[in-house]
Amino acid sequence: MPKDRLERLNQRLLRFARERDWEQFHSPKNLAMALAGECGELLEHFQWLSEEQSASLAPEKKKEVAFEMADILIYLIRLSERLNLDLLDAVEAKIAINEQRYPAHRVRGDARRASEYED
Ligand SMILES: [Mg+2]
């Protein structure tokens, strides 16, 4: 996602909150809790599905999943605004950390976490 597009979303969400006087409710704590709630809503769509079923959602179900993913991103954007941090910079930095932590030649085909490797 280009930075300017993310910033436009950020400004739109900020305007949405301000027009409703909801900024007062958007503390980092509340936003983090709302984010976790939305993650739960996303999980509900996959609960009890087989691997195969989870990979072939019906169009209507897929739309519902997309909206839950949107809710998650919305709260992430709001949280990053309230914490005054650059979400895309954080994503870039974390990918770089993961590339270091999980060198492809060492972990190819291995889903264990770095802490589970024997050195
Ligand atoms: Mg939701």
Side-chain angles (χ1 to χ4, degrees):
M1 178 182 301
K3 271 202 172 188
D4 61 335
R5 188 164 185 200
L6 187 66
E7 182 52 28
R8 281 200 306 276
L9 291 173
N10 179 43
Q11 291 302 320
R12 189 172 175 185
L13 290 168
L14 198 51
R15 188 169 57 249
F16 180 91
R18 285 180 175 159
E19 285 173 352
R20 289 158 183 78
D21 193 23
W22 284 356
E23 265 196 302
Q24 59 181 315
F25 307 118
H26 289 181
S27 65
K29 176 194 75 73
N30 284 351
L31 290 168
M33 293 174 76
L35 174 61
E38 295 299 340
C39 288
E41 290 179 16
L42 176 64
L43 283 173
E44 283 179 15
H45 288 287
F46 293 100
Q47 192 174 20
W48 312 124
L49 297 186
S50 67
E51 299 281 338
E52 195 172 279
Q53 289 169 327
S54 74
S56 55
L57 300 176
E60 188 55 39
K61 179 69 108 177
K62 200 169 180 177
K63 188 177 173 185
E64 292 173 15
V65 165
F67 281 154
E68 297 306 346
M69 293 171 68
D71 284 338
I72 290 166
L73 183 57
I74 285 168
Y75 278 124
L76 278 176
I77 292 169
R78 288 295 297 131
L79 185 56
S80 61
E81 188 273 329
R82 293 317 299 247
L83 293 174
N84 195 30
L85 59 80
D86 189 312
L87 185 57
L88 293 183
D89 282 353
V91 169
E92 297 272 9
K94 192 57 169 69
I95 291 171
I97 289 168
N98 289 343
E99 287 168 346
Q100 292 278 317
R101 185 179 286 167
Y102 300 100
H105 70 276
R106 187 173 174 202
V107 303
R108 186 181 306 279
D110 188 340
R112 289 178 300 168
R113 299 175 61 90
S115 60
E116 297 176 276
Y117 292 126
E118 293 177 29
D119 283 295

